[in-house]
Amino acid sequence: MSERTAARLRRRLAAHSRRVVDSGAFTTTVFCLITANAALLGVETYTGVVHQWHAALKAAEHLFLAAFTAEILLRAAAHADRPGDFFRDPWNVFDLLVVTVAFVPFARENATVLRLLRLARVLRAARFLPQLRIVIVAVGKSLPGTLSFLLVGALLLYVYAMVGWVFFADDDPEHYGSLGRAVLTLFLLMTLDGLGDAVRAGLEISRWSILYFASFVLLGSFVLVNLLIGVVINSLQEASALEAGQERPVPAQPPPAEESILALRARIADARRTLDDLEAGLEPSVPPRR
């Protein structure tokens, strides 16, 4: 088989597979399979049902694995003419890993790993729900900003925990007797849980403790939380823009090379005729001889 024939067959296979994968029936079927797989996982949490229907549940799991394998093969066949494009989509890579690892002997022999892999299939529903996909992408994009938020929050907790240990350790050792207890107390105060009791206990020690609690609540519960919200909103906007860019229609393919050459030749011929007409109009008339 020549290389040209093989390329033609790959293009034909990709075109047929792409029509199947892009159809609404295929998307609905895969989404229903994922939902049914999630329901099956929930049913298997009941011991009595597992003992009574063990063989049927096992057969259903094999059927789901076969269906998901056929799905990922169809998606790969849709990129037969451009295999590299298949791996550029993170969802394709995720689906391929989830399905492929299920065939590894270690995963099949380990019940815990197998359950986690089957649970990961439920996350594949996100590729069929655009809004959920945007949220997941936004969470991934917000991780660098969230790391900075955690570092600032840890620094704030450490400083205020040390200050609390210095001033309140002797009078309130239950909450500020050590650095760990002080951090735990302040972390709960960051959620405004028990803030009134903490302020009253602090006022019994010193009236200046109100500055300590007020500044901590202001920085920890308002400034840091608003900073985190800003990071998440910015990531949501970036994810929405990315999703909108992916959903834009693909521009029409340029005409073949032969058609372009013919069109160029026609334009050149028209230009030449126009130039001839201009030259004929600009030629000076010859005066008659006497």
Side-chain angles (χ1 to χ4, degrees), residues 37 40-41 44 61 114-122:
N37 177 71
L40 180 64
L41 286 175
E44 290 181 357
E61 161 58 18
L114 187 59
R115 288 192 182 98
L116 291 176
L117 287 174
R118 294 173 62 190
L119 182 61
R121 296 177 193 166
V122 181

Side-chain angles (χ1 to χ4, degrees), residues 43 62 101 137 198 220 254 262:
V43 169
H62 290 309
V101 177
V137 173
L262 292 176

Side-chain angles (χ1 to χ4, degrees), residues 129-151:
L129 300 173
Q131 296 301 324
L132 181 58
R133 189 165 60 242
I134 289 174
V135 172
I136 292 178
V137 173
V139 170
K141 287 184 172 296
S142 65
L143 289 180
T146 304
L147 180 60
S148 301
F149 165 82
L150 292 176
L151 292 175

